[in-house]
Each structure stands twice: as structure tokens, then as C-alpha cells.
Amino acid sequence: LFSISDIMMTKGILNHSTLTHPIRYCIYRNGKLESEVEDVTPYWPEKSVAFLIGCSFSYDGALTEAGIRLRSVEQNKNVPMYKTDIPCRPSGNLHGNVVVSMKPIKALHVAKEVEITSKFPQAHGGPLCVGCPEAIGILDLNKPDWGDRVDVLPGEVPVFHACGVTPQQVLMESGVPFAITHSPGHMFVTDLPSETII
């Protein structure tokens, strides 16, 4: 979790606007999604604080360079995301379960995928679960809670990584009075090479 002011000051991205940059935002009130908008300027309360949270998309380039195919890219879809039964550590009134994204990976490439993604701890790091979605409470891979369904082909296994949509799940389960988040699949993109977050 990075404070936007900290990362902008230390990484030289002061010109980015956090109020209009990710294309789509979600507005939540009392733990319920109220709307999705492209500009949150009229909704932004004074004295609000914004945070950047790492995203697994940060290591997609490294996976591609290693010859690991990305099904969501091939099928021109958003990555599938699922609620799990893995509880987050509560903090005050905030509580909820982890959300994961899923990438179908060839069984012979799983070790390489784990090795690569584990080098990106600020972008969710290595997988939480490999195969066996039922072990983390996912009963049907064809019905993601966010994003799009993608094909898992013969010889592939579903690989699950922690997801930046977890805060949305936590704020919904906790009934947070007001929050603005990115819309799933619409992340803050900088001009920093992914390797700088290793």
C-alpha cells in the first residue's frame, strides 16, 4: 500500500491526476456500490487521502517475456476475479475476505510463474493458491465475481493471486460510509518500469 503523495514525490510522477487517471472509478456509500464514473472530481471530499495499491498486471510483462501466455490478453478480456473464504486480518471496524485474480497457466510453467511473480511483493507477489479453487472457496470458475470468464485449457491449472479488488470487498462487508476506488480492471498506470517495484 503506497500513499499517493509519497509515491508521487519519490518516483517523480507529480503530473498524474489521481482523480481522472484510471478511466473508471466506483463510488461506494454504506458498503454498497452507488455508481461508476470516469471523473471523481465532483465526489472528492476535502481532506481525503488516496492510496495506490500494487496490481498483478505489473508483472504481466515479465511473464510474457518468459513465454508464459496470458489468457485474458489473448481473449481480449478483463482478468477474472473471485471472492474467497480467506479472511483478511481485521483492523478496527474493517473486515472481509481476500479477493483473488486467476490466470490459467500451463502446468509445466507453474514453477516459473511462481518464481517470477514472487519477485514482485508490492504487486501481490507469488500465488495464494495453485489449482483446486474449492480450497479457497471458489465453487465455479465460470462465474467470476468481477472481470470476465476466461478459458482454462487442457494441461493448464488455475493460478490465484491476491487482488487489488480486496479493498472493495472489505469496504462492502464492513459497510464503510463512503469510499472511492478504481473500477476493477482500470488501474492507475505510471511511466515507471515494473522492475522498479522489485
Side-chain angles (χ1 to χ4, degrees):
L1 188 68
F2 302 101
S3 161
I4 281 184
S5 59
D6 290 344
I7 199 167
M8 285 185 174
M9 293 298 289
T10 59
K11 301 294 186 178
I13 52 176
L14 286 169
N15 291 331
H16 288 290
S17 170
T18 58
L19 302 182
T20 59
H21 181 71
I23 302 174
R24 292 195 69 77
Y25 295 85
C26 294
I27 310 294
Y28 290 90
R29 293 188 195 275
N30 300 312
K32 300 203 180 303
L33 177 62
E34 179 179 274
S35 61
E36 289 191 60
V37 298
E38 294 182 1
D39 183 349
V40 294
T41 305
Y43 301 91
W44 196 261
E46 288 186 28
K47 299 183 181 177
S48 293
V49 177
F51 295 90
L52 295 175
I53 301 172
C55 177
S56 63
F57 286 9
S58 295
Y59 47 66
D60 282 357
L63 293 175
T64 301
E65 287 175 11
I68 296 175
R69 297 169 64 180
L70 301 174
R71 187 61 35 70
S72 57
V73 174
E74 291 176 346
Q75 295 184 336
N76 196 28
K77 293 182 176 180
N78 195 354
V79 65
M81 295 160 270
Y82 304 86
K83 299 175 185 177
T84 73
D85 59 7
I86 303 171
C88 296
R89 183 172 38 187
S91 179
N93 293 327
L94 298 176
H95 61 276
N97 289 350
V98 173
V99 173
V100 293
S101 60
M102 187 276 289
K103 296 180 190 305
I105 303 294
K106 284 186 178 180
L108 291 175
H109 290 168
V110 168
K112 188 188 300 185
E113 198 271 1
V114 172
E115 179 185 356
I116 291 169
T117 58
S118 295
K119 294 176 183 176
F120 293 83
Q122 301 294 357
H124 310 315
L128 294 181
C129 180
V130 175
C132 198
E134 298 85 2
I136 55 175
I138 300 170
L139 302 180
D140 190 348
L141 285 181
N142 291 316
K143 296 180 179 176
D145 297 291
W146 296 272
D148 301 315
R149 186 195 75 78
V150 297
D151 297 329
V152 180
L153 303 179
E156 296 179 335
V157 293
V159 177
F160 300 94
H161 288 266
C163 178
V165 177
T166 298
Q168 281 97 310
Q169 181 64 20
V170 168
L171 68 86
M172 287 188 288
E173 291 189 38
S174 305
V176 171
F178 179 79
I180 299 172
T181 71
H182 73 288
S183 181
H186 296 271
M187 277 65 69
F188 187 93
V189 179
T190 74
D191 55 3
L192 299 173
S194 296
E195 294 74 22
T196 63
I197 66 170
I198 294 178

